[in-house]
């Protein structure tokens, strides 16, 4: 098959055209094959049915159950540009057929890791409170203004989840001399040790660290696994950064405990997005809120486009993809990211 014979289908909703299909991407994909696009919503069934017999690569979140895979004999890859795994693909069947299922998650991880580091420092040094006090004329200078501040240097830091973000965050923490530990039931202890982290149980992570980074993905098995009893294990006045999925915590309890001063929290993800304007959590103290901003910056999207182009090119040449994250069929089928 000549390169121009490959059909590449873009169905990236909720990613819009400006993120996924910039002029340079359009030009390079056109050099690899024929391109069909659909933006603004998930592609309608009629369009998907039309392209299935010829499609070689799907870039987006198109549903691909077995019955659609059966009608896509030329399909080589499905690339999720939302950086997650959705429960609308028959992962086991695709794996058995040698179809690459890839995620753009590695492209987003550096920015999310940077966010985690920044929020940990902001919490421990109380920069948000310092800004508020200054603006209202209530600031204190020097030692008296730092009465409740503490440092990330030489502190104990624990990661709940050691996927793409954890792997990007750990190197950022090491120059601070942090004693790093991690809990992730999907990652072998030996791998954690080789990367300079101490494997630990979930209870140990929660109770022994002054800095906590909640980075686990949401699955069919772990919804709310950080419930009130577990959250109550967190050290008094610790810094806790929630930057993965809101579904992994009992969210109301998480907010209530932070608001009550049990720990300091930074929250970037919510059970419902957009958050309702009248939501009571907007008034919760001791929390730094951002609106799902950790990874979604232009640097991440540029990195994602480069990864997609590189791996699509390799796949269409018959080579293995190297830059994006391949799906583990068992784990991907359990993921419940929105």
């Amino acid at each position: 098959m000549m390169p121009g014979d490959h059909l590449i289908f873009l169905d990236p909703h909720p990613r819009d055209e400006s993120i996924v299909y910039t002029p340079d991407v359009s030009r390079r994909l056109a050099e690899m094959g024929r391109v069909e696009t659909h933006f603004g919503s998930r592609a309608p069934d009629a369009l998907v049915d039309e392209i299935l017999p010829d499609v070689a690569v799907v870039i987006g979140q198109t549903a691909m159950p077995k019955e659609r895979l059966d009608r896509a004999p030329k399909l080589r890859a499905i690339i999720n540009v939302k950086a997650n795994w959705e429960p609308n693909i028959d992962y086991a069947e695709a794996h058995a057929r040698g179809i690459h299922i890839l995620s753009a998650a590695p492209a987003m991880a550096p920015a999310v890791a940077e966010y985690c580091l920044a929020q940990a420092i902001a919490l421990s040094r109380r920069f948000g409170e310092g800004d508020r006090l200054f603006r209202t004329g209530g600031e204190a200078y020097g030692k008296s203004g730092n009465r409740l501040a503490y440092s990330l240097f030489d502190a104990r830091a624990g990661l709940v989840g050691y996927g793409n973000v954890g792997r990007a965050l750990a190197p950022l923490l090491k120059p601070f001399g942090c004693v790093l530990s991690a809990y992730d039931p999907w990652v072998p202890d030996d791998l954690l040790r080789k990367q300079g982290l101490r494997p630990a149980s979930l209870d140990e992570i929660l109770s022994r660290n002054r800095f906590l980074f909640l980075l686990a993905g949401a699955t069919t098995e772990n919804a709310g696994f950080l419930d009130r009893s577990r959250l109550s294990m967190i050290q008094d006045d610790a810094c806790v950064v929630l930057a993965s999925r809101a579904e992994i915590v009992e969210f109301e309890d998480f907010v209530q405990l932070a608001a009550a001063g049990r720990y300091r929290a930074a929250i970037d993800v919510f059970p419902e997005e957009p958050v309702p304007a009248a939501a009571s959590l907007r008034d919760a103290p001791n929390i730094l809120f951002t609106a799902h901003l950790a990874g979604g910056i232009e640097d991440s999207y540029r990195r994602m486009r480069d990864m997609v182009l590189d791996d699509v090119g390799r796949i269409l040449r018959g080579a293995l993809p190297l830059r994006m994250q391949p799906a583990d069929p068992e784990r991907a089928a359990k993921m419940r990211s929105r």
Side-chain angles (χ1 to χ4, degrees), residues 33-98:
R34 179 165 59 93
V35 181
E36 295 282 348
T37 66
H38 181 84
F39 297 103
S41 64
R42 291 281 172 102
D45 290 343
L47 177 56
V48 176
D49 289 341
E50 180 183 339
I51 61 95
L52 282 175
D54 296 313
V55 69
V57 176
V58 173
I59 301 173
Q61 289 69 245
T62 311
M64 281 290 173
K66 183 178 184 302
E67 52 267 31
R68 280 186 170 173
L69 295 175
D70 287 340
R71 290 182 283 137
K74 301 178 183 179
L75 184 61
R76 300 190 189 181
I78 302 169
I79 298 175
N80 186 309
V81 291
K82 266 182 66 183
N84 63 2
W85 306 118
E86 298 199 357
N88 63 353
I89 294 175
D90 190 328
Y91 291 96
E93 184 66 23
H95 181 72
R97 295 175 184 225

Side-chain angles (χ1 to χ4, degrees), residues 40-279:
S41 64
R42 291 281 172 102
D45 290 343
L47 177 56
V48 176
D49 289 341
E50 180 183 339
I51 61 95
L52 282 175
D54 296 313
V55 69
V57 176
V58 173
I59 301 173
Q61 289 69 245
T62 311
M64 281 290 173
K66 183 178 184 302
E67 52 267 31
R68 280 186 170 173
L69 295 175
D70 287 340
R71 290 182 283 137
K74 301 178 183 179
L75 184 61
R76 300 190 189 181
I78 302 169
I79 298 175
N80 186 309
V81 291
K82 266 182 66 183
N84 63 2
W85 306 118
E86 298 199 357
N88 63 353
I89 294 175
D90 190 328
Y91 291 96
E93 184 66 23
H95 181 72
R97 295 175 184 225
I99 298 169
H100 299 287
I101 311 294
L102 305 171
S103 167
M108 317 302 288
V112 181
E114 179 182 70
Y115 167 94
C116 290
L117 176 62
Q119 291 292 61
I121 294 172
L123 288 171
S124 66
R125 299 294 299 275
R126 296 179 63 83
F127 290 157
E129 179 69 2
D131 177 78
R132 185 189 67 78
L133 289 172
F134 187 88
R135 292 177 185 278
T136 57
E139 78 274 15
Y141 291 81
K143 180 180 178 181
S144 57
N146 276 326
R147 184 174 56 86
L148 299 177
Y150 55 85
S151 178
L152 179 62
F153 273 94
D154 300 323
R156 288 183 174 274
L159 283 58
V160 178
Y162 193 66
N164 291 298
V165 175
R167 288 169 168 80
L169 177 59
L172 301 185
L173 293 171
K174 287 178 182 178
F176 290 86
C178 292
V179 179
L180 296 179
S181 56
Y183 166 78
D184 191 322
W186 293 90
V187 178
D189 288 352
D190 190 52
L191 176 60
L192 293 174
R193 293 189 187 96
K194 286 180 178 177
Q195 298 194 8
L197 293 90
R198 187 180 69 84
S201 68
L202 179 58
D203 291 356
E204 286 180 289
I205 292 288
L206 297 173
S207 62
R208 297 186 60 185
N209 291 286
R210 201 164 202 190
F211 290 85
L212 289 170
F213 301 93
L214 308 184
L215 310 176
T219 75
T220 56
E221 300 172 344
N222 72 355
F225 77 97
L226 294 172
D227 58 15
R228 193 177 190 93
S229 64
R230 282 245 161 81
L231 295 171
S232 297
M233 297 179 182
I234 295 173
Q235 286 186 8
D236 288 341
D237 205 33
C239 294
V240 187
V241 180
L242 176 59
S244 56
R245 302 295 171 187
E247 291 81 0
I248 69 172
V249 301
E250 290 292 348
F251 195 78
E252 289 187 9
D253 290 335
F254 183 75
V255 170
Q256 287 174 4
L257 288 167
R262 273 282 288 106
Y263 46 77
R264 311 173 191 188
I267 298 176
D268 188 53
V269 289
F270 304 88
E272 179 183 0
E273 296 180 6
V275 175

